[in-house]
Amino acid sequence: MAQKTLAPLLEEAQKFTSPRQSQFRDSIVTSIYRTAEQIAGDVVSHTSTSRRDFDRQIDNIITSPVWGFPIMFGVLAVVFWITIAGANIPSGLLATGLFWIEARLTDLFMVLNAPDWLHGFLVLGVYRSLAWVIAVMLPPMAIFFPLFTLLEDLGYLPRVAFNLDRFFKKAGAHGKQALTMSMGFGCNAAGIIACRIIESPRERLIATLTNNFVPCNGRFPTLIALVSIFIAGSVSLSLSSAVATMAVAGLVVFGIAVTLSISWLLSKTILRGKPSSFTLELPPYRKPLVGQVLIRSVLDRTLFVLSRAVIIAAPAGGLIWILANTTIGSATLLSIIAGWMDPLARLMGLDGFILLAFILGLPANEIVLPILIMSYVCGGAMTELSSLADLRHLLVDQHGWTWLTALCTMTFSLCHWPCGTTLFTIQREQHSWRWTLLAALIPTAVGVIVCILINNLVRAAGLIV
């Protein structure tokens, strides 16, 4: 009876509020907070207001429309600069040590008179892939993750979400997507799980489908290596780190721009709807607990991601060695498959081996570059690349890479299917193979189209032959 009485009133209220639903919600939230502030002002007394005023003064700068974004870009650039500049030396030392162990393993196999195929599969395939993944990935991860966790512990990441909120709202998405996107910098699978904080199913799905456009830690080594060779390598040594930093930061900004664009496109097509309002309470700034940050970032993030990469890289290295050493006629199986892909890859500014490396790297983005190196080397084994100079020699001198090849490879690294772990996480979170498939198709379609456009525009302009 009560429902029959209330139903017409609810319908009338809905008609009244629908045209201005967003404003109506904001008014309610504003009213709630004003009342809360009034109550707090009446019943709470502060012995000292200096700390609260200090937080507010910092927020007035960090979240201001004028200074908020330059500061955000500057913080991002500093994090990448420390990561890039600090990772070179330990990477070189690790590579030297790990490849020294490989030489001893080879000696052991010779002493045991082991067959060549067993030495090739285990040492040149499995072990060499592991050595490359550890040497390339561990130093940047050991630097990047603690820095990222320090920003999180300091209370800066919620300010990033606050600054980006209006852009996501204009894109028809939820402001909390900025937080899930930030988590994606560490690991896209973690970013997908973080989407649970978005209450609206529609906006949660938008955040899920677009999280892959920000580079995860597995893709940073590839981006950093290519930027260091093809962009930083073209300037003087004193400027190389700064130029590499700006280039990587620019790629991240490009990924954020693609995230906003695809979010807007989804909100206007298959995921139509009005963006919901939310209230983000900025936590007070606090002194980071450095010890806890180091333990959390090393145990929960660095070792987790590295162990996953190692587990996946081991069988992948063996598989690639088999493909590279199985011949049909005079050609290896790897080169035959790469040849099939070459026409599409050339149209995208790549080659068949690069595209094949991305496909075989589906288990983990960390192994794309090692697979590519192994694919390029004659004899089916990865050469001992202990420096970026060796990598440059392999790519440029032996396989004809240009800056356009590097640019298209970095673009496709930003925009292609998520790794196997992320796809598995999406299926578990959404309980839908349809959305999981779409999560793979959307970034891949964007990557193919953008690469084709870049390649053809650059060549049409005569910037490269």
Side-chain angles (χ1 to χ4, degrees), residues 42-372:
D42 292 340
V43 300
V44 178
S45 60
H46 297 275
T47 55
S48 174
T49 59
S50 58
R51 174 57 191 268
R52 186 180 54 179
D53 292 340
F54 181 66
D55 283 5
R56 189 165 294 178
Q57 286 173 3
I58 296 176
D59 279 342
N60 287 339
I61 299 172
I62 286 181
T63 61
S64 83
V66 176
W67 297 107
F69 286 99
I71 291 174
M72 198 166 64
F73 188 80
V75 170
L76 190 68
V78 168
V79 169
F80 287 134
W81 179 79
I82 295 174
T83 304
I84 293 170
N88 288 335
I89 294 176
S91 278
L93 292 175
L94 272 174
T96 302
L98 291 170
F99 286 118
W100 179 86
I101 295 174
E102 180 194 297
R104 303 292 77 77
L105 288 174
T106 299
D107 294 340
L108 177 64
F109 273 74
M110 291 179 67
V111 169
L112 297 175
N113 199 24
D116 290 342
W117 65 265
L118 187 61
H119 169 259
F121 178 79
L122 291 178
V123 178
L124 303 182
V126 175
Y127 178 81
R128 191 168 281 189
S129 294
L130 294 178
W132 177 259
V133 168
I134 293 172
V136 171
M137 284 189 60
L138 183 56
M141 279 198 308
I143 298 172
F144 178 80
F145 276 141
L147 291 175
F148 192 77
T149 311
L150 279 174
L151 292 176
E152 188 180 0
D153 217 40
L154 184 65
Y156 182 66
L157 291 188
R159 272 80 183 175
V160 173
F162 180 86
N163 287 335
L164 292 173
D165 174 51
R166 63 178 181 274
F167 291 99
F168 280 105
K169 207 166 186 176
K170 286 181 180 177
H174 199 288
K176 288 182 182 176
Q177 190 173 336
L179 291 175
T180 65
M181 185 183 70
S182 299
M183 289 296 295
F185 284 122
C187 174
N188 290 128
I192 298 300
I193 294 174
C195 292
R196 294 174 183 175
I197 64 174
I198 300 175
E199 295 82 3
S200 162
R202 182 188 73 85
E203 291 162 342
R204 190 187 314 137
L205 194 51
I206 291 176
T208 299
L209 295 177
T210 56
N211 190 270
N212 190 58
F213 289 113
V214 291
C216 65
N217 197 67
R219 285 179 277 178
F220 273 123
T222 301
L223 297 176
I224 291 171
L226 295 182
V227 161
S228 300
I229 291 172
F230 290 93
I231 298 178
S234 61
V235 299
S236 64
L237 188 61
S238 59
L239 296 175
S240 59
S241 292
V243 171
T245 299
M246 297 303 293
V248 174
L251 287 170
V252 171
V253 172
F254 172 72
I256 295 173
V258 174
T259 300
L260 290 168
S261 302
I262 299 302
S263 296
W264 178 84
L265 189 62
L266 288 171
S267 71
K268 299 298 179 187
T269 53
I270 60 175
L271 292 172
R272 280 192 294 272
K274 293 181 179 179
S276 57
S277 300
F278 85 107
T279 303
L280 179 65
E281 187 174 351
L282 298 179
Y285 293 101
R286 60 184 178 220
K287 185 179 178 182
L289 301 173
V290 178
Q292 289 186 13
V293 165
L294 289 175
I295 293 173
R296 267 169 44 207
S297 59
V298 170
L299 294 181
D300 297 345
R301 295 180 177 178
T302 305
L303 293 184
F304 169 75
V305 176
L306 185 65
S307 61
R308 193 190 70 184
V310 166
I311 291 170
I312 294 172
L319 174 64
I320 301 303
W321 186 88
I322 292 172
L323 290 175
N325 288 275
T326 303
T327 56
I328 298 177
S330 59
T332 65
L333 199 53
L334 195 67
S335 61
I336 292 173
I337 299 173
W340 294 341
M341 299 178 180
D342 208 54
L344 173 61
R346 295 285 176 190
L347 189 63
M348 296 167 56
L350 312 174
D351 64 32
F353 286 106
I354 302 173
L355 192 55
L356 181 59
F358 278 109
I359 293 173
L360 295 174
L362 174 66
N365 289 307
E366 295 89 337
I367 60 174
V368 169
L369 191 57
I371 290 174
L372 178 61

Side-chain angles (χ1 to χ4, degrees), residues 26-48:
D26 288 343
S27 298
I28 291 175
V29 171
T30 303
S31 174
I32 290 173
Y33 267 77
R34 280 181 181 165
T35 304
E37 285 181 354
Q38 184 179 355
I39 294 172
D42 292 340
V43 300
V44 178
S45 60
H46 297 275
T47 55
S48 174

Side-chain angles (χ1 to χ4, degrees), residues 381-432:
M382 189 170 62
T383 55
E384 183 176 334
L385 300 175
S386 58
S387 68
L388 288 176
D390 291 342
L391 184 58
R392 176 185 175 81
H393 176 69
L394 178 70
L395 299 180
V396 178
D397 300 334
Q398 296 185 17
H399 292 277
W401 275 46
T402 64
W403 63 267
L404 179 58
T405 315
L407 178 62
C408 290
T409 303
M410 290 188 288
T411 303
F412 198 64
S413 179
L414 275 176
C415 306
H416 74 290
W417 50 84
C419 70
T421 305
T422 303
L423 288 173
F424 177 72
T425 306
I426 292 172
Q427 203 283 328
R428 293 291 297 270
E429 292 292 311
Q430 295 295 327
H431 304 289
S432 166

